[in-house]
Amino acid sequence: MFTLLLTLPLLAAAPAAFVEHTIAGDLKGGYQVVAADLNHDGRPDLIALASGMSELVWYENPGWQRHVLAAGQSRMINCAVVGNEIVLASEFSMQAKDSAGVVSVLRPGRDPREPWTVTEIDRLPTSHRLRTADIDGSGKLVVINAPLTGAGATAPDYRDQTPLVYYVPGEWKRRVIGTENSGVVHGILVTDWDGNGRESILSASFTGIHLFRFTKDARWTRTEVAKGDPAPWPKSGSSDIAVGHLGAGHLAKTRFLAAIEPWHGNQVAVYTQRGAQWEREVIDSSLNDGHTIQAADLNGDGVDEIIAGFRGQPRSVYLYSFDAAAKRWTRGDLDNGGMGAAACTVVDLNKDGRPDIACIDSTRLKWYENR
């Protein structure tokens, strides 16, 4: 394990200094990092999902000891923690005809450090993104499953209707949210869009960014937010999505969307609402295989920064800060050349009240301590 001090010139507040820690360097096909307190000691642990490994592993905070959640898995692609259980999607392929899309529930025994039991609950081709959501404001979470494509989709156009479904824990039966999306649906984000305690789902696909709401009469509605990259299909639309806020001065409570576009794209786009429309601004077009985007207030000034990672050379994670005076975004480095992030998550790992960042790439899991 080694550390590297990174100082980032964030504006409108004291600079945020990050100390880089490498937790693991022997992963195969690292794809997703999930923060959850698996041993119930009050500290978030990290699940490192790697598609090229047969074991789903987690690392115990603060010493980062490695433990196996489940062995004998194949082509894992995503997991989500709900209550005391983990939902896992495996047997993934980008070609629907080759993707069983196995969805399983993992349950712990007395000791969460020992392997968990695995029970299959569903098969849905290209099951790809798993997230939890409180869709009705009850405080009870459901598990959202967003396949990458429809069952009849083929490369390179992937034309088909792409389902979006969910499961109620305990029941574990597939329920349909909608089939209106088409083409590749690469990213989803769960967010309290209306500020009413009922979480909605943003999807990023070839046809753009769409909002799915669960209404009080138990129906799902779908609304277009933005069309994404205007290039022709299959270079159109959006790939990954985050929601942030500009909270300083006259910009207080202004919401923005940050997206990687198009699919596995080179652009970081920011959307700002003007009336009923969301205006698109590309703030960076230098990414190579962009794959993860987050928004969080890293330096405590009330204004969210954007974290974007990409897997192609030079395999980096960038931070973007909003300069309110100049009304523009500026870019800094979180990890330049040392992390081809497939996924990142923002979480206070050392319980000091400041948000840290954890990222995973093909071989490495790192966390960046916010000092």
Side-chain angles (χ1 to χ4, degrees), residues 263-280:
W263 177 35
H264 290 176
N266 64 310
Q267 303 167 356
V268 175
V270 172
Y271 293 85
T272 306
Q273 192 168 17
R274 299 286 187 264
Q277 304 298 315
W278 286 85
E279 294 184 357
R280 179 177 186 262

Side-chain angles (χ1 to χ4, degrees), residues 27-32 49-52 311 340 342-343 360-364:
L27 303 175
K28 295 179 181 179
Y31 194 80
Q32 185 197 26
L49 183 147
S51 299
R311 302 183 298 182
I360 192 170
D361 70 6
S362 59
T363 60
R364 293 162 293 198

Side-chain angles (χ1 to χ4, degrees), residues 140-160:
K140 297 179 180 179
L141 298 178
V142 302
V143 178
I144 311 298
N145 180 4
L148 184 75
T149 71
T154 57
D157 284 350
Y158 296 98
R159 290 192 183 273
D160 195 13

Side-chain angles (χ1 to χ4, degrees), residues 82 85 87 105 107 121 143 167-174:
V82 55
E85 298 173 315
V87 183
V105 176
R107 299 181 177 93
I121 62 166
V143 178
Y167 310 94
V168 176
E171 176 187 275
W172 297 122
K173 294 180 180 179
R174 187 199 307 170

Side-chain angles (χ1 to χ4, degrees), residues 14-341:
F18 286 85
V19 177
E20 173 190 310
H21 306 274
T22 297
I23 296 174
D26 58 351
L27 303 175
K28 295 179 181 179
Y31 194 80
Q32 185 197 26
V33 56
V34 176
D37 184 4
L38 296 182
N39 58 358
H40 305 293
D41 67 351
R43 291 177 176 266
D45 307 298
L46 293 176
I47 301 172
L49 183 147
S51 299
M53 294 171 57
S54 61
E55 294 179 334
L56 179 64
V57 299
W58 67 284
Y59 295 88
E60 186 176 354
N61 192 351
W64 306 116
Q65 296 87 355
R66 181 184 187 273
H67 307 291
V68 175
L69 285 161
Q73 301 302 306
S74 175
R75 294 180 289 165
M76 296 177 289
I77 196 70
N78 245 220
C79 68
V81 178
V82 55
N84 202 35
E85 298 173 315
I86 297 172
V87 183
L88 173 68
S90 61
E91 298 290 347
F92 172 81
S93 171
M94 288 176 57
Q95 305 303 318
K97 65 181 180 62
D98 301 322
S99 177
V102 174
V103 183
S104 303
V105 176
L106 281 60
R107 299 181 177 93
R110 288 187 176 183
D111 186 351
R113 298 172 182 84
E114 296 297 321
W116 297 27
T117 60
V118 181
T119 304
E120 181 179 322
I121 62 166
D122 196 11
R123 292 194 172 208
L124 182 60
T126 73
S127 291
H128 182 246
R129 291 285 182 258
L130 297 178
R131 301 290 186 268
T132 60
D134 179 3
I135 60 175
D136 59 5
S138 67
K140 297 179 180 179
L141 298 178
V142 302
V143 178
I144 311 298
N145 180 4
L148 184 75
T149 71
T154 57
D157 284 350
Y158 296 98
R159 290 192 183 273
D160 195 13
Q161 299 306 115
T162 308
L164 185 64
V165 306
Y166 73 103
Y167 310 94
V168 176
E171 176 187 275
W172 297 122
K173 294 180 180 179
R174 187 199 307 170
R175 300 188 184 190
V176 176
I177 295 172
T179 58
E180 299 94 337
N181 284 342
S182 56
V184 168
V185 179
H186 186 258
I188 61 170
L189 176 77
V190 173
T191 181
D192 185 357
W193 183 261
D194 298 305
N196 59 6
R198 303 167 67 91
E199 291 184 318
S200 303
I201 305 160
L202 286 169
S203 66
S205 72
F206 278 4
T207 56
I209 300 167
H210 291 85
L211 178 70
F212 291 82
R213 291 184 176 100
F214 189 70
T215 65
K216 291 184 178 180
D217 57 353
R219 294 184 303 109
W220 286 97
T221 64
R222 176 181 181 265
T223 305
E224 181 182 275
V225 177
K227 295 185 182 300
D229 191 311
W233 184 299
K235 298 296 185 181
S236 59
S238 195
S239 184
D240 293 275
I241 187 75
V243 175
H245 295 84
L246 303 175
H250 69 286
L251 294 173
K253 299 183 180 179
T254 298
R255 179 166 53 186
F256 68 86
L257 307 180
I260 290 175
E261 296 177 344
W263 177 35
H264 290 176
N266 64 310
Q267 303 167 356
V268 175
V270 172
Y271 293 85
T272 306
Q273 192 168 17
R274 299 286 187 264
Q277 304 298 315
W278 286 85
E279 294 184 357
R280 179 177 186 262
E281 176 190 5
V282 176
I283 64 170
D284 194 354
S285 59
S286 69
L287 274 63
N288 183 3
D289 191 10
H291 207 266
T292 182
I293 195 161
Q294 303 283 333
D297 182 6
L298 300 175
N299 59 345
D301 66 352
V303 179
D304 285 345
E305 285 73 48
I306 299 169
I307 304 117
F310 57 98
R311 302 183 298 182
Q313 291 290 350
R315 295 194 299 264
S316 300
V317 183
Y318 293 152
L319 296 184
Y320 304 84
S321 305
F322 187 68
D323 182 341
K327 295 183 180 179
R328 65 184 179 90
W329 291 87
T330 61
R331 193 183 84 188
D333 297 329
L334 177 68
D335 196 326
N336 194 339
M339 167 55 63

